[in-house]
Amino acid sequence: MEVSRIGILTRKAGMSPQDFRRHWSEVHGSMVKRLPGLVRYYQHHVVDTSQLGIDHARGAWQVDGFSEIVFESRAALDEALNSAAFTPTTGDVSNYVDSIRLVVCEKNVVVPSPEDSGRPFVKRMSILTRRPDIDHARFVHEWTGKHACDVPGLPGIMGYTQNVVIDRYRTMTETTTWEDLPVDGIVELWFPDADAIVKAFASAQAGITQTHAKDFISTITTFLVESRRLL
């Protein structure tokens, strides 16, 4: 199973969104692409922070972008993070972000994305935090089981990937706990357009998925993103 490390980024205070994007893409991106074993590299730029039809409590996340580096395995990711090519990326982070929180995830592709199909789409990413009375094993069981079966029934859905968190970092190199970084999953959903998202979550099928979500998820914090694949 592929493994990704996803960064949750808040841009540097006083830095314009344009300068943030430029530095992230042109400067930092060129460094990251040198990591050994890197399979794919995405920068997901946040363009909208509304829930768009989700009937669920929202977390307090302030996010300007999600970084994502994808490897064939956790061993390959760890090898890249211990390589000489990784060192320059750690020193550059403070030049364009004030906060970066990182999660290592196993990727569960439920419905393949339309990104190589040539069809138009919009992409939504969501940060999930489990209920405090639900442990990690129960969260994974519910999310990758019943929820993974129900969500593809939403009208208009074009793609659905679950990123199941297996490790957390408070900085580029320092691991941390769930209590410090309460992220249990990151969702990727694709729809034809923003109106299709609203319609999907007003459907009867959404009633099923959202009722189930409240059984194991505390907050769902959603963002529309413009995804750029750099590798």
Side-chain angles (χ1 to χ4, degrees):
M1 178 179 289
E2 287 187 331
V3 169
S4 63
R5 187 158 104 150
I6 297 176
I8 304 168
L9 313 180
T10 304
R11 72 177 184 271
K12 195 175 183 69
M15 192 176 212
S16 70
Q18 294 78 16
D19 287 343
F20 165 75
R21 290 186 175 203
R22 186 179 305 111
H23 187 99
W24 187 19
S25 298
E26 298 177 7
V27 180
H28 197 76
S30 65
M31 298 177 185
V32 173
K33 287 192 292 184
R34 301 188 186 109
L35 293 177
L38 185 62
V39 174
R40 295 186 304 282
Y41 173 34
Y42 300 94
Q43 293 180 348
H44 307 291
H45 300 265
V46 171
V47 296
D48 190 295
T49 61
S50 56
Q51 290 288 76
L52 287 177
I54 287 288
D55 181 21
H56 209 106
R58 183 180 178 90
W61 291 96
Q62 301 295 318
V63 181
D64 292 293
F66 296 87
S67 62
E68 183 180 11
I69 51 177
V70 183
F71 292 83
E72 290 184 350
S73 65
R74 178 64 188 269
L77 168 62
D78 289 343
E79 183 176 347
L81 299 183
N82 288 316
S83 70
F86 180 64
T87 303
T89 70
T90 63
D92 181 58
V93 166
S94 62
N95 292 324
Y96 72 106
V97 301
D98 276 342
S99 171
I100 181 168
R101 310 304 294 275
L102 297 131
V103 289
V104 176
C105 305
E106 292 181 341
K107 297 190 75 67
N108 180 33
V109 178
V110 182
V111 179
S113 85
E115 294 189 357
D116 295 325
S117 69
R119 293 178 292 165
F121 62 84
V122 296
K123 181 173 181 178
R124 194 184 74 181
M125 297 181 71
S126 302
I127 299 171
L128 305 185
T129 298
R130 71 179 187 263
R131 282 178 18 183
D133 59 324
I134 300 295
D135 64 16
H136 173 75
R138 172 73 183 281
F139 171 85
V140 173
H141 173 77
E142 297 293 342
W143 192 32
T144 62
K146 174 174 170 52
H147 214 65
C149 292
D150 290 343
V151 169
L154 290 172
I157 191 170
M158 299 174 70
Y160 176 36
T161 293
Q162 299 173 326
N163 294 284
V164 181
V165 174
I166 58 174
D167 207 353
R168 300 165 178 83
Y169 288 75
R170 64 178 298 114
T171 67
M172 292 287 279
T173 57
E174 180 186 358
T175 59
T176 192
T177 63
W178 180 86
E179 288 74 18
D180 180 54
L181 184 51
V183 179
D184 296 282
I186 295 180
V187 184
E188 298 173 89
L189 281 171
W190 291 260
F191 285 90
D193 51 43
D195 286 343
I197 297 176
V198 174
K199 291 176 182 177
F201 284 97
S203 68
Q205 184 66 16
I208 295 171
T209 65
Q210 292 187 69
T211 297
H212 179 236
K214 290 176 181 178
D215 288 342
F216 67 104
I217 300 173
S218 173
T219 62
I220 303 175
T221 311
T222 72
F223 306 88
L224 289 188
V225 298
E226 177 187 293
S227 292
R228 300 177 184 177
R229 180 171 176 176
L230 278 71
L231 180 71

